[in-house]
Amino acid sequence: MAKKVLLVHGWGGSDFPHWQSWLAGELAKEYGYVHFLHFSNFDAPKLDVWRDELEKALEDFRPDIVICHSLANTLWFHLANTTILKTMETLYLVAPPSMNCEVSEIQEFFPCQTPKNLFAKEVLLIGSTNDPYMNLKEIHQLQKEFGVELKVLENAGHINAESGFGEWPWILEDLKSKLSN
């Protein structure tokens, strides 16, 4: 049976030309089992609302692989701290913001405790040397706390469309290797 991939966006969404929307299209063309969750009111996120929407997506879609970007990582951490989740095969944590982010529009998500269990057999944390929302020292600290693999991209900003990540062939190829196993 084909594996299912759930894409979870952050504050402001990940519509075209963001890599998550591109990836959803590429996965749908080749595999067909992809769900790109669109949170309600993504420009003014509410923790309780987003948590409920993510829990429903996990229950209804039952993904094998989850790919979080930006604030979706923080949401995953909140869920992992408060809920027993089905263990995923793979979890991608792409460009998480600082655990103590101080952006006023998303303040109710912070501070956030580092979960003891990420509910995934394999976790890949992906950060950037110049992410405005999490510095290099913080991403290395998070990697150490989780004990997971870390991929650091040079000068990739927040790894979004604004920093040149529309098409992102690397993540598609990495996913293909997991989807074919």
Side-chain angles (χ1 to χ4, degrees):
M1 184 169 160
K3 294 179 184 174
K4 298 178 184 180
V5 178
L6 175 65
L7 298 163
V8 190
H9 68 76
W11 176 37
S14 293
D15 293 341
F16 182 82
H18 194 283
W19 64 267
Q20 278 191 315
S21 60
W22 169 81
L23 184 61
E26 294 300 305
L27 291 171
K29 283 192 279 188
E30 292 192 41
Y31 300 99
Y33 291 102
V34 62
H35 178 45
F36 190 2
L37 177 60
H38 284 266
F39 290 114
S40 61
N41 206 5
F42 55 77
D43 286 325
K46 299 291 178 219
L47 178 57
D48 290 343
V49 172
W50 277 28
R51 184 180 328 176
D52 290 346
E53 291 174 353
L54 178 54
E55 284 179 327
K56 182 166 179 15
L58 291 169
E59 184 180 314
D60 292 349
F61 187 62
R62 299 177 186 266
D64 302 291
I65 299 170
V66 175
I67 304 172
C68 297
H69 179 259
S70 190
L71 190 59
N73 293 287
T74 309
L75 177 63
W76 188 268
F77 301 158
H78 280 289
L79 204 58
N81 280 327
T82 59
T83 308
I84 302 297
L85 301 171
K86 173 189 162 254
T87 298
M88 307 293 131
E89 283 186 26
T90 307
L91 174 64
Y92 289 83
L93 302 172
V94 182
S98 169
M99 300 298 273
N100 297 298
C101 183
E102 295 183 359
V103 174
S104 60
E105 294 88 344
I106 55 174
Q107 199 54 58
E108 71 179 83
F109 286 77
F110 301 96
C112 181
Q113 296 290 347
T114 306
K116 298 198 182 334
N117 185 348
L118 290 170
F119 297 96
K121 295 174 188 167
E122 177 186 8
V123 178
L124 179 58
L125 178 61
I126 303 172
S128 168
T129 57
N130 64 339
D131 189 332
Y133 299 103
M134 176 166 300
N135 66 48
L136 201 51
K137 182 179 177 186
E138 289 175 304
I139 197 82
H140 281 285
Q141 180 61 35
L142 197 58
Q143 184 266 337
K144 189 176 180 181
E145 288 178 36
F146 288 144
V148 298
E149 184 180 346
L150 172 63
K151 180 175 182 66
V152 176
L153 306 177
E154 287 292 322
N155 299 317
H158 195 49
I159 312 175
N160 56 13
E162 289 76 31
S163 59
F165 285 82
E167 291 185 18
W168 188 10
W170 175 86
I171 199 161
L172 179 59
E173 290 306 311
D174 197 67
L175 262 174
K176 282 181 180 180
S177 70
K178 291 166 183 18
L179 292 168
S180 62
N181 291 336

